[in-house]
Amino acid sequence: MRTADMQALGNVAAEGLTVLNNLIRGMHSGIAGRVFASIGPAAKPVETVHDAIAGTVYDLLGAAAHRLPPVLSSFAAAGLAFDDDAALDEHPRLAEFLAALDGIYGDELAERGSPLAPPMTLRVSGRPVPLTPDAVRAAYPRPTDAIAVFVHGLCQTESSWQRAPRPSAHTDDRSYGERLHTDLGFTPVDLRYNTGLHISTNGRQLDETLTRLLEVWPVPVRRIALIGHSMGGLVIRSACHYGHEQNRRWVRATRQVICLGSPHLGADLEKGVNVATWAMARLGETRSIAELLNLRSDGIKDLRFGALLDDDWAESDPDEFLRDRCREVPFLPTATYHFVATSAAPRYLGAVLGDHLVRPSSASGRGRRRNVPFRAESGLTLTGLHHFDLLSHPDIYVRLREWLTAT
């Protein structure tokens, strides 16, 4: 673990304690204010004393929360030996923790230049692959002219694609990428990115990453398949839009775009949080809870309606009440687009509950006001699976192989 990472963790801990202190303070203030208001003017002297004592206590707690964790982390960093070559995000367990942290708070960390919010990178065995000819050649010693790029979802890393499938008599424990390499000759390329950033920001970064990758890939690239899970599918569609505007070579080589459980029309959970915070902000007792929930990242808020472009969120209030500003984003003319939707319950109940995070109507892009132009024959809808089963399932792999064999 690097010294800079240790200090950054201390700063995050301080931020968390400060937010917690403000949350409790706000709730205390709201409840006390309503009680004193119900008593009337007779309670004013007691209210004045109460507010003075409570304010002093919370100020002291806030100062301690702000200063103590960074001091302790700096002391630990100075007193312990760290391997400066081993980044925090290269340790599997810690990488998963950081991915969750970035998904929730990664936009703020990136804005502050924190090492806990690293840029988008290719990864092999958890380690970043610099986009240089030598590094790429070493990371992919047997490159092919067909590449399958895997883009994970919110609060995840590329290791999510290694998820063990449900037990089955015919289960193959290998990942989709490994099987596509064996069966169809695709070289799997895994990506890691900060899911707390705007989807359009990550889309632009993916465009730049793929542009550079083709420049340094050891052999000419004939064909690209882009496969995204959940938010990853939206990031891919955003990258395709920006790459098409620039007439990128990787866009012209892209033949398939496959979205596994992606909320093209938005995610109900984020819509629900938006409604809840809007309501709680109107009560003094719960206003601080609304302020806390509104600290969730730009990436999460983009999932409310599936915002793919800068114009979908620029110059607007990110916490406005259920307003869909999203523009339709055309498909690439050279690629075939596919979706996989699933529900964890039978047909009618599953249409409402979806896979616990994304409903089939959103994953397939079929809404009352907006429609994503997936062809019905280009999709797959399953039942009895939850959102993360999409990362590794034999039925889905069979369809992936069919789609990637078709052209």
Side-chain angles (χ1 to χ4, degrees):
M1 186 187 301
R2 298 178 301 186
T3 299
D5 291 335
M6 189 70 177
Q7 293 170 337
L9 284 173
N11 292 334
V12 169
E15 195 73 30
L17 290 174
T18 300
V19 169
L20 180 61
N21 182 62
N22 290 340
L23 169 65
I24 298 172
R25 182 176 196 163
M27 293 179 65
H28 182 170
S29 176
I31 294 170
R34 188 173 294 274
V35 170
F36 287 126
S38 67
I39 297 173
K44 193 63 179 178
V46 177
E47 181 181 8
T48 300
V49 174
H50 167 273
D51 289 349
I53 294 174
T56 300
V57 170
Y58 285 118
D59 286 344
L60 291 173
L61 290 174
H66 181 71
R67 296 175 183 175
L68 191 56
V71 169
L72 291 177
S73 64
S74 296
F75 177 78
L80 299 175
F82 293 102
D83 181 1
D84 284 338
D85 293 330
L88 196 64
D89 64 357
E90 292 179 18
H91 300 273
R93 296 283 180 86
L94 294 176
E96 292 178 3
F97 164 76
L98 288 182
L101 177 65
D102 284 339
I104 297 169
Y105 196 56
D107 52 342
E108 288 289 336
L109 293 174
E111 187 174 331
R112 298 176 186 182
S114 171
L116 303 183
M120 180 179 289
T121 53
L122 303 186
R123 296 275 171 157
V124 171
S125 299
R127 296 184 177 276
V129 179
L131 289 175
T132 64
D134 290 344
V136 169
R137 191 177 298 109
Y140 305 96
R142 292 183 296 277
T144 64
D145 63 356
I147 298 174
V149 180
F150 290 85
V151 186
H152 60 76
L154 177 71
C155 293
Q156 295 181 298
T157 72
E158 75 289 347
S159 66
S160 63
W161 296 104
Q162 302 296 326
R163 176 186 174 86
R166 289 187 179 186
S168 168
H170 304 287
T171 292
D172 188 328
D173 290 337
R174 293 176 300 164
S175 68
Y176 294 150
E178 292 170 315
R179 298 180 71 180
L180 289 174
H181 179 71
T182 300
D183 295 348
L184 301 180
F186 278 85
T187 301
V189 173
D190 291 326
L191 191 82
R192 187 187 299 181
Y193 65 103
N194 179 355
T195 59
L197 299 179
H198 278 294
I199 289 171
S200 59
T201 302
N202 279 317
R204 289 183 182 277
Q205 290 183 6
L206 179 56
D207 168 38
E208 295 169 0
T209 297
L210 294 176
T211 298
R212 178 58 180 160
L213 178 63
L214 261 63
E215 293 173 352
V216 299
W217 194 251
V219 300
V221 176
R222 175 181 58 87
R223 182 178 171 193
I224 296 174
L226 304 174
I227 303 171
H229 174 247
S230 195
M231 177 188 280
L234 304 186
V235 172
I236 287 172
R237 289 187 58 208
S238 178
C240 288
H241 171 82
Y242 291 118
H244 183 64
E245 283 189 335
Q246 300 296 320
N247 193 27
R248 304 290 201 191
R249 185 156 61 96
W250 72 263
V251 171
R252 299 195 298 272
T254 297
R255 295 293 174 266
Q256 286 89 15
V257 173
I258 301 171
C259 303
L260 309 179
S262 297
H264 300 287
L265 304 181
D268 288 343
L269 180 58
E270 165 55 24
K271 292 174 184 176
V273 173
N274 174 245
V275 171
T277 55
W278 180 86
M280 287 189 291
R282 278 146 181 78
L283 294 174
E285 295 90 334
T286 57
R287 186 172 297 120
S288 61
I289 299 177
E291 292 171 353
L292 171 63
L293 292 175
N294 281 335
L295 293 176
R296 66 195 186 281
S297 69
D298 293 332
I300 291 177
K301 293 177 183 180
D302 283 347
L303 294 177
R304 191 178 307 154
F305 293 106
L308 303 183
L309 307 179
D310 295 343
D311 291 342
D312 293 338
W313 52 266
E315 299 180 2
S316 64
D317 177 7
D319 302 310
E320 62 186 352
F321 183 76
L322 288 184
R323 180 171 180 180
D324 185 354
R325 297 175 177 268
C326 296
R327 292 170 44 195
E328 295 306 326
V329 179
F331 287 172
L332 294 178
T334 59
T336 302
Y337 282 66
H338 305 274
F339 71 86
V340 176
T342 186
S343 63
R347 181 178 178 184
Y348 295 107
L349 183 59
V352 176
L353 299 179
D355 60 12
H356 301 314
L357 290 177
V358 179
R359 282 194 286 173
S361 58
S362 184
S364 61
R366 298 189 181 99
R368 287 177 293 181
R369 192 180 70 83
R370 292 168 52 202
N371 278 282
V372 181
F374 289 109
R375 294 184 298 175
E377 64 272 21
S378 296
L380 173 66
T381 301
L382 301 170
T383 58
L385 304 178
H386 63 66
H387 193 62
F388 299 102
D389 285 333
L390 298 173
L391 291 162
S392 180
H393 193 276
D395 292 344
I396 294 174
Y397 177 72
V398 169
R399 195 58 64 90
L400 288 178
R401 189 176 59 197
E402 291 176 359
W403 289 334
L404 270 61
T405 304
T407 56

